[in-house]
Structure formats: structure tokens, C-alpha cells
Amino acid sequence: MQRRNFIQQVAALTGTGFLLSQCQTTGQHKIPGRIVGASAKVGHLLRDKKIQGAPQSTTQAEVVIVGAGVSGLSAARHLYKQGVQDFLVLDLEAHAGGNAAAGENNVSRYPWGAHYVPIPNNDLKDYLSFLQECNVVTGYNSEGLPVYNEYHLCFDPEERLYINGSWQEGLVPRNGVPAEDLKQVQRFLDHMHQLRYAEGQDGKDAFAIPVNHSSADEQYTKLDGITMKEWLLQQGYTSEYLHWYCNYCCRDDFGTRYDETAAWAGIHYFAARKGKGANAEHQDVLTWPQGNGWLVEQLQKDYRDKIKLNSLVTSIRPTGGGVEVLYMNVATGQLQAVHAKQCVVAIPQFVAQRMLAPELNRQQLVQQFSYAPWMVANITVQELKERRGEALSWDNVLYNSESLGYVVATHQSIKQREPVKVLTYYLPLTQGDVVTARREAAAMQHEQWVDIILNDLRKVHENIAAAVTNIDVMVWGHGMIRPVKGFIHSDARRLLNKSINDTIFFAHTDLAGISIFEEGFYQGLQAAESVLKARMSG
Amino acid sequence: MQLLLLLAVFVIATCGLIYELVAGTLASYLLGDSVTQFSTIIGVYLFSMGVGSFLSRYFNRNLLRWFIQIELLVGLIGGFSAMLLFIVFPLSASFRIVLYVLVFLTGAGVGLEIPILMRILKDKVEFKELVSRVFTFDYIGALLASLLFPLLLVPYLGLMRTSLFFGMLNIAVGLFLAIKFSREIKRPGVLRAMAIFLILAELVAFVLSNRILSYSETLVYNDRVVFATSSPYQRIVLTRNKKETRLFLNGNLQFSSADEYRYHEALVHPGLQAVRSPKQVLVLGGGDGLAIREILKYSSVDSITLVDLDAAMTKLFTSNSMLVSLNQGSLLDSRVHVINGDAFSWLRDNRRQFDFVVVDFPDPSNFSIGKLYSNTFYKLLYQALKPEGIAVVQSTSPYVAPRSFWCIDETIRSVGFHTAPYHNLVPSFGEWGYILAMKDSVYHAPTVYVPGLRFINVATAQQMFVFPQDMRTTKPLAVNKLNNQALVDYFEEEWSTYLE
Ligand SMILES: Cc1cc2nc3c(=O)[nH]c(=O)nc-3n(C[C@H](O)[C@H](O)[C@H](O)COP(=O)(O)OP(=O)(O)OC[C@H]3O[C@@H](n4cnc5c(N)ncnc54)[C@H](O)[C@@H]3O)c2cc1C
């Protein structure tokens, strides 16, 4: 009798516990917010070939740039700097920036995609001069090292990891990690350090930025033929903590699991960064509340009037002495044409192939381009309850979580207190194959994303559900190029990067094989250089 | 009789569960980690119910009287449990012990009650019936409690009043039974009187619960709390004893009226007296107006700008008569302009230059405040100072935290300032440090000071600039920057070893 009493009491009490936890969490109120970025629908008009008819008007421009992402804006900036005035940038979205676009609410600005850049490698002169122009680099010290603006260098504390019951400083697992594993982790980091300064037979850096400046030495390029996971095992790295860390890094940078990412790309993440500043080291990063949206604003500040938004490009066709670009005003549905001497195509290849004449078996080559789907959420929160350990940092990661954790958009505020914050939550959709993941993501409802997010973050912030006031969600169907085994050193990349008739040029991070700001910057710059060259000779 | 006793079971079950929920919630609230708190508390509670049931075999006579007495005891312990826990919490070492003892006692009481009750009723009801009814009521009570607690009680009554309310209910049942069965128990009058007394005691506590909460704060602060408020930024508490008034922000002592003059004279005069005919003064932090009281002793000063984050602070120090007499109404002076805003942001937008700047922030104990001691901040300070001007920075204790102190010095110098560090003894803080920051390379110690000072004179001021070996450090020091927050690490390390 007493035993039964006992058991039933437990049941009654746990029932109570359950009830209590329900009240604290989602049960009570629906979290406001919405899924933003409906332009995928507009893009699908193109995929489904729904746009036909003749243009209603035709204009002229010297150069047309298709796409106002980092690559397109960088191309436009370079043209502008070189004195080309008559150009037009077209983008289907209502804002420029592409994957580096930003949003804003009454608390803060926040990124929708790209949120930081590491300090640049010192040999990237054009990039450095851009950064100096926008006062991110404030000058150079007596040793010639760039001095970084300390408002833009990520404030301390920068990163923390929730692992084995508490938050530790930094993302490399240490807290509660066995000594044997720690040794392996250290060996790995030393290994990466050594590769950072490695050079190939041709005297080039083994791992460089832009990717295309890297050594062609087989010793290194062969790493493109195996996955990061295979490479780790080959090298005798077996620690599960180290494997988690490498998988995290690959998912973070490429939206791709480490058992799919090429080892060359996985290592590039660690070994390509070799910048040194007067007041910063290679691992230091630059960030802003709106992430790389800040850099996007700087890229376009001189020629904003030349950017035409809400303009979906539907066809790019070489004509006698130039090129004809057709685009649709997504608000009115009107089709328009621009005739230009040259065109820079700064959009992903899987989109570009739909609007270009099928030459060079473009369609077939594009099959080798695979893109990672992502979900990004911006979460407005009140005071959060914290677990033990390191204080709230800029980047907050949960060990063994499906997500990459969150970045605090308000972190770079100099204010002593920011009671309400915006957290940008990143979830690369890397379970299973990308096509299924993309389809499933598109079908998800706002509440379902909210549940996923809250269930994840509840592990570290007990009161997350009560503290959240809004969650907006963005799904990137084709977020970034996936540097899977063999892709970076494939011919597809090189062939699709070739200009058409010296009138149509290509610039996009997918052509680099690695989607980072610097690659976009140089893709644009090089395309603009080619345009200028063509003009000189033409 | 039967129904009444069963109703009693119902109330007991409800109350018992409520006490555990209160204990669990309170422990989660004060200690964090609700999973651990709830499961250990439920575990201890159930175990102690078992202990109670086991002990019930030793009660053989006067069962009904025992039943009522236990009822009263549970009502007493459970009723006051939340209050006791709130009060005990600041004495943190014993908090968990008190918590589990309370949980154990209520659990054992409830565990005793049910078997005793069944034995009281066993001759009156058939066993099958009895078991069925007792447990039905028991579990319905549990359900009721579990529903009421999150939906009504916590939001409307709060934890302390919830436990008191159920304590009273518990005792009321005892009282009712004592009246109803007065013929069946010995000396029912004693029981009745006891019950009434307990109910009254809990009722008083119920009404005064808010004041009692402030008493619990008084325990933290040793002295009587005469004022307490929570602003969006901090908890402001003012305490008083016969000799002095003390101000605490988030539990940290800001000043004691007994010796604050030593701090504020040292903060202001060595710097301000060295500026020739100062006119424009800026005070960052220091919403208590005490530094401004010192600054107003200079007749040449025609404008003082005070930037303090917390409007609650500046308001308190312009309205509370005790505090206004302490700062001599400095914040009400027509030369003073109060700005409630973030100092860093304000300074970043500021284009004015000042003759003298007082930087009086809380110690750099966390990353938010650490920013206000960064080289980036001092660069802005540099721009806000006239060529001949002087700034002074409160710089924590060079005795307790020499690395922190000299790191601040290093950081100030890193942006081009020349510095003159000094220190004095403020009994309620200990040995305290300040740093003068100047664009000019030499500090000309004043040869005369404004009249009416109690601590500073030419001789004492001279000594303040001498640092003995135990206030220095030989360890390497980093410049404190936004992207390394080196100072917060030093500070944490030094103060935690000191306080150990
Ligand atoms: C979730 C996420 C996080 C990221 N985080 C980082 C980071 O922290 N740091 C970093 O360096 N990089 C990050 N990246 C990578 C980022 O993609 C690149 O840095 C860079 O922004 C890519 O620029 P892009 O110009 O090459 O491409 P995109 O940004 O893809 O630009 C293409 C542009 O073309 C437009 N467009 C497409 N089709 C058409 C059409 N038919 N007509 C008109 N316009 C069209 C698009 O609207 C878009 O504006 C992240 C990416 C994602 C998805």
C-alpha cells in the first residue's frame, strides 16, 4: 500500500512538474514573428519559365551588373572608381546585399546571413584599401601593419561553448575533455598552424585567399579528393571532440558536413587566414550589429542611384556588339530591356544558366554546383537566464547541437547595458541530402521553426520561451556553394568562370568554391578589371 | 466524522504538495538549475513521507490528538517555509541545509498523517472503502494543488504568501477538527488556543510579507534598510545605523557617510586644484552628487555636466532629504546639468572640451563595465579634455588589486595621456586608488587647497603619490581593450583571491 502510494505520488508530482514546465514554455503564448524573404517565389518564376512576352521599354547603359550581392557591388565599386559612370546594377530583392543582407527592428540591426569577416591577409591590398576607405583600417603602424578600428574588432568576450554542463571560453572543446583528446586537439591546431605558412613547389601559399591564388602543388591539391573526415582519420585524429569541432567548422563556414566537405576546403578554413595587424592577429574578426550588411553599405555608398532593386533578370543574350538584358519589375510585372556593351553576371550559376543561351554545356557543368540550404532566425529577447561559466559572448555555441548556436547582434554596442538583445541563430540544414532538406525547409511553418529554436536554446537558457518577444525566420534555399569533395579543383568552376565573347563576365562566390566576403570582393574586382580591359581593346 | 476527516486528507494533500512546489520553485529561483532542485526536493519529500509512515507505528494512543497536532506542526513549518528560506538565503552556507530540513519535516508530517488517519477510521469504515476513499481524496488534493500553483498562486500571491496561505489552511483544518471532536480528545482547549495563535501569527506575516522581505535584505546589509528600489539598471539600497548611512548598488558598497569625504576629496581636489581657473567640468558616473559637492567649492567653475546612466540614482539624490543634506544639494545647483544616459555613447557624440573630468564608474567587475576602462574609451576622454585640462579616474584598490590598478594606468597612458597615480585610505573601502590623466607631461602639485577640506591638505596630498612596494606589481600588464577586456580578468582574479 505504501509502495503504491509512493509510486502514485511520484506520478502526481512529476505530472505537476510537467505541467509547470509547460506553463513556462511554449504552451502559454504564441511567439510573434514571421518567415521573411519571400523572394524565392519570385525566383521560381524564372525556374518555372513563367515569364514571357516582349519588353515594354528599352534603355541603354555601358555596363549592366546582374546581382547586387557582394560580388556585384564590388564589381560596380571598382568600375566606379575607374571612372565608369554609366552602369546599372539589377537585383530582384528590395534591398542590396544578397547573402550579406541585414534587417532591423526597434532594438537593433541584425544580419540575415553573413555576419563577420576575419582580419584580412596582409597581401590583399585592394581589400585593405577598401577597408581603409571605410575607416575599418585607421592607418598603418611603423612596421607597416594595419591598425584596426577598435569599434569594429569583435569585443571580448568573443566566443563560448556550452559543453559538459557549463560554458567555456572559446569554441575548441576543453571543458571536461579527457587529456588524451586535448592532446589530439593540440596536435591538430599545431598542424593547422604549420599548414597556414606552408608553400607549394610553385612558391605560392598552400592555402590562399582568393582560393585561386593557392598553390597548384599536387601535395596539397590532392586533399581536394578526400573528405575532411577521411583526412582526419588518415592523420590519426580520432578524438570525438576534435571530430565535432571540425564538423562544426565545416558546417559553420560551408553549410556542409565534414564527411562531405573536401579536406582541402576544411583545412582552408583554418590555414588560409594569416592576417596580422598592429592590434589584431589572424584569429581576430571584424563585426557589426548588422554583420556584413555594414560592409555592403560601404561598398555601394558612392553609386546608390545606379542600383535598381525589385528587378528580376530573366534573360541575358549576346547581341551584335554587346548584350541585351531583360528584367521584370517584380512589383508591376513589367518587362524591360537594357542594351549594354558589357555585362557582369554576379548571381549564382544555377540561376545564371536559366537566363543564358545554352552554350558550353553550361547546364551540365552547373550540375556539379551544389548549394547549402540554411535557416537563419533573428530572435529578440529580454534578459536571459544563464548557465554556469563564461558570460554571454558574441558567438555562443552548443556542443553537439544541430544548430551553430547564435551570435549576439547587439554585442558591438558600447553601451553599458543592453537589456533587450537580438540574437541571430544559425541552422545549416545538413541532415540528409540537400534537395530533400531544401524541400522540407520550404514547407516548414513559423511555429515549427520556433519550436526547433526554443527546444535547442532551452538547454542553455531555461527561460528562453518567456524571454523571447519575437522570432523572424529566413530560409536560404541555396545559401552558399558547397565545397564538396573534388569541387574546388574541378574544371566546372574554371569553365563557367570564362567570359562569353568578352562581353559577358562572371563574378560570384560559387565560382570561387568557397563563400566568403573576400572571395566575393575579388570576384567582383576581377570581373570589373576584365570589363575595363575589354573596353580598352574594344 | 468520516467525511470531515476525508476532507482533512484532501486539504493536507493539497497543502503538502504546495509546500514542495514552493520549495522547489524558490530553490530554482535562488540557486538556478530547476531540474536538479525539483528532483532533489521531490526525492527528499517522498522519502521523508516514507519515514513518516514508518514512524506512525510508534503512535499508539490519542491518535486523533496526534493527528491534529501534526496538522498544526505541518501548517507552521510549511507556512513559514518560504519566508524562512528567503531570510536564510543570504547566509548562503546554511541555505541548503535549512531547505532540506524543512522539506523533510513537512514530508514526514504528511507521511505520518495518512496512516494515522486510516487507523482512526479503521473501526468505522470497511477497509476496502477506507483505502479507496482516503487515496481518492489524497490524489484529488494533489491535482488541485498542481493546477492552482502555477495558474493562480504564483502569479497572484507570490511564493511567500502562497505558503503562508496554505499554512493557515492547514492549521484551520486542525482547529476545526479540534472544535468538532472536542469531546473525543483530551484538553482540546490547549489545541484550540495553539491553533488560533498560529493562524494569527501567519496572518500577520501574510500582511507584512513585503516588509519582511526588506528585513531579509537588512540581514544581508547588517544595518537597517531605510530605502530600497530597483531601477532598470541596478538595485539601490540605502542602510542606516547610529553612525552612518551607506549606499549599496547591487549589494556593493558605494559609500559610507562616515568616511565618503575621504574618497570624494581625494577624487576631486588633487586634480581640480591643479587646473588653473577651471570653468567647465564633466562628471561621468557619480550620480550621488558627492563629487559635485566638492567641485562646487571652486568659484571659478561655471558649468558641471553630470552623465549618469541611472535616473533613479540622480532622482534619489535630489529628493531624499537625508541624501540631499549629504551632498549639500549639489545636484540642485543651477550650474549642474544632469544627463541620464550611457557615458560611453555620450562621450562618443560629445564635441565639447572640459577643464576637468571626473570618471567615477563602478569597479570593472564585469564585461559591461570593463568597456568603460578601455583604451577606446580613454581616446574619447582625450578628445574631451582641454590641452591644459586634467581628468581623474577612480581605479579600484592598488593594495588589493595592483595589477588592475596599474593596468588602468597603462591603458590611460597608451592613448597619449601622462598620468599621476595616487591613493589614500578610505576606512570602509580600504586603500583606494585614483589616476590623474593629463595631456601636459608634468603634474604641478597644488601649493594651496580650497578651504574647508577635512582630509586633503598639501602634506597629505604629497604622501598620496608615494606607492610602497606592496601596491606595485612586477607581472606583465596588457592594455585593456574592447577586444581583450584584460582588466576584467585581472580584477576578477585579484579580488576573488582577496575575498577568499
Ligand atoms: C547563412 C549564411 C551565413 C554566412 N555567413 C558569412 C560570414 O559570416 N562571413 C562571410 O564572409 N560570408 C558568409 N556567408 C557567405 C556569403 O554568401 C558571402 O560572403 C557573400 O555575401 C556572397 O556574395 P555574392 O555576391 O557572391 O552572392 P549573393 O549574395 O548570392 O548575391 C547574389 C545576388 O544576386 C541576386 N539575384 C539572384 N538572382 C537574380 C536575378 N535573376 N535577377 C536579379 N538579381 C538576382 C540576389 O538577390 C543577390 O542579391 C554566409 C552565407 C550564408 C547563406
Side-chain angles (χ1 to χ4, degrees), chain A residues 39 42-43 46 65-74 89-101 111-118 127 252-253 273 286 291-292 295-296 308-316 326-328 346-348 350-352 355 371-376 394 404 425-428 474 476 478-481 507-511 514-521 523-524:
Chain A
S39 315
V42 180
L46 195 65
I65 296 166
V66 180
V70 171
S71 306
L73 293 175
S74 166
V89 187
L90 298 170
D91 199 290
L92 72 90
E93 298 282 353
H95 50 257
N99 290 346
W112 272 125
H115 54 287
Y116 76 99
V117 287
Y127 181 35
D252 185 46
D253 238 32
R273 308 284 184 196
L286 298 159
N292 292 4
L295 292 170
V296 164
K308 207 159 181 185
L309 300 169
N310 297 310
S311 303
L312 171 73
V313 174
T314 59
S315 140
I316 302 169
L326 294 186
Y327 65 97
M328 186 188 85
I347 56 179
F350 80 95
V351 185
M355 54 192 70
Y371 299 84
W374 282 74
M375 185 277 275
V376 179
W394 171 64
L404 303 174
Y425 178 90
Y426 289 89
L427 180 67
M474 170 96 88
W476 298 98
H478 298 79
M480 49 169 74
I481 188 71
H508 192 268
T509 45
D510 64 355
L511 292 170
I514 280 180
S515 189
I516 51 176
F517 185 88
E518 296 95 311
E519 295 289 354
F521 183 87
Q523 283 284 327

Side-chain angles (χ1 to χ4, degrees), chain A residues 428-472:
Chain A
L429 304 167
T430 57
Q431 276 179 352
D433 70 297
V434 284
V435 180
T436 319
R438 188 174 298 134
R439 182 158 23 83
E440 285 173 0
M444 292 272 282
Q445 301 295 309
H446 182 257
E447 299 89 73
Q448 294 170 296
W449 289 122
V450 166
D451 277 348
I452 289 177
I453 296 166
L454 295 186
N455 284 330
D456 187 26
L457 295 185
R458 188 170 295 126
K459 284 174 237 145
V460 288
H461 303 295
E462 240 180 277
N463 68 333
I464 183 84
V468 166
T469 56
N470 190 78
I471 298 183
D472 284 341

Side-chain angles (χ1 to χ4, degrees), chain A residues 153-444:
Chain A
L153 280 173
C154 180
F155 294 177
D156 192 61
E158 186 174 324
E159 297 164 328
R160 63 173 182 169
L161 174 66
Y162 185 74
I163 178 169
N164 293 328
S166 67
W167 288 105
Q168 62 152 62
E169 191 182 340
L171 300 184
V172 180
R174 299 194 193 281
N175 181 32
V177 175
E180 184 49 42
D181 293 68
L182 287 177
K183 248 198 260 160
Q184 272 195 33
V185 169
Q186 196 49 51
R187 181 160 72 88
F188 172 81
L189 294 176
D190 293 345
H191 201 159
M192 291 300 121
H193 185 75
Q194 175 218 323
L195 287 171
R196 184 170 302 126
Y197 302 103
E199 281 180 10
Q201 296 285 346
D202 49 9
K204 290 181 174 177
D205 280 2
F207 298 93
I209 296 173
V211 165
N212 293 344
H213 290 185
S214 304
S215 166
D217 190 334
E218 231 252 55
Q219 188 194 346
Y220 299 109
T221 57
K222 70 169 191 238
L223 295 172
D224 205 30
I226 57 170
T227 68
M228 187 65 181
K229 183 177 183 183
E230 286 162 352
W231 181 81
L232 284 174
L233 293 172
Q234 244 177 38
Q235 300 290 317
Y237 295 115
T238 51
S239 160
E240 77 177 272
Y241 288 101
L242 178 60
H243 278 245
W244 171 82
Y245 179 61
C246 288
N247 191 30
Y248 162 81
C249 292
C250 288
R251 296 177 71 233
D252 185 46
D253 238 32
F254 312 127
T256 307
R257 290 194 313 267
Y258 81 138
D259 58 2
E260 291 186 287
T261 306
W264 195 92
I267 295 169
H268 187 272
Y269 175 88
F270 297 98
R273 308 284 184 196
K274 25 208 145 191
K276 184 164 174 52
N279 53 350
E281 296 295 327
H282 65 83
Q283 70 276 12
D284 289 326
V285 306
L286 298 159
T287 188
W288 302 267
Q290 67 272 48
N292 292 4
W294 190 89
L295 292 170
V296 164
E297 279 163 36
Q298 304 300 316
L299 277 177
Q300 58 177 319
K301 66 173 187 289
D302 290 333
Y303 55 83
R304 217 160 274 188
D305 54 320
K306 298 186 197 298
I307 304 173
K308 207 159 181 185
L309 300 169
N310 297 310
S311 303
L312 171 73
V313 174
T314 59
S315 140
I316 302 169
R317 197 167 55 83
T319 56
V323 52
E324 181 199 62
V325 174
L326 294 186
Y327 65 97
M328 186 188 85
N329 180 324
V330 293
T332 62
Q334 273 189 5
L335 214 53
Q336 267 149 338
V338 216
H339 287 184
K341 296 217 179 80
Q342 281 101 9
C343 173
V344 175
V345 182
I347 56 179
Q349 305 321 305
F350 80 95
V351 185
Q353 103 356 82
R354 293 187 184 124
M355 54 192 70
L356 286 162
E359 40 70 62
L360 211 170
N361 54 7
R362 188 166 281 279
Q363 261 115 343
Q364 231 170 354
L365 289 170
V366 166
Q367 297 304 313
Q368 296 182 39
F369 283 57
S370 160
Y371 299 84
W374 282 74
M375 185 277 275
V376 179
N378 274 294
I379 310 172
T380 311
V381 286
Q382 244 109 22
E383 217 73 64
L384 288 174
K385 279 202 189 141
E386 283 289 347
R387 296 275 178 197
R388 267 185 303 146
E390 185 70 8
L392 184 69
S393 303
W394 171 64
D395 193 6
N396 305 269
V397 177
L398 285 66
Y399 184 73
N400 265 347
S401 162
E402 191 56 31
S403 81
L404 303 174
Y406 60 85
V407 165
V408 180
T410 33
H411 184 77
Q412 291 299 99
S413 161
I414 52 170
K415 292 213 181 105
Q416 200 183 323
R417 241 182 66 104
E418 289 282 0
V420 185
K421 301 186 173 69
V422 177
L423 316 179
T424 310
Y425 178 90
Y426 289 89
L427 180 67
L429 304 167
T430 57
Q431 276 179 352
D433 70 297
V434 284
V435 180
T436 319
R438 188 174 298 134
R439 182 158 23 83
E440 285 173 0
M444 292 272 282

Side-chain angles (χ1 to χ4, degrees), chain B residues 297-312:
Chain B
K297 291 177 180 165
Y298 294 75
S299 54
S300 66
V301 169
D302 54 28
S303 139
I304 302 173
T305 307
L306 168 68
V307 184
D308 192 287
L309 190 57
D310 196 351

Side-chain angles (χ1 to χ4, degrees), chain B residues 403-439:
Chain B
R403 269 188 112 185
S404 308
F405 181 83
W406 294 105
C407 166
I408 299 173
D409 182 66
E410 184 85 14
T411 308
I412 296 175
R413 284 190 291 114
S414 78
V415 305
F417 276 122
H418 298 274
T419 61
Y422 61 103
H423 64 97
N424 75 337
L425 180 73
V426 183
S428 47
F429 291 169
E431 199 62 42
W432 216 255
Y434 320 79
I435 297 171
L436 293 178
M438 296 149 296
K439 296 186 176 179

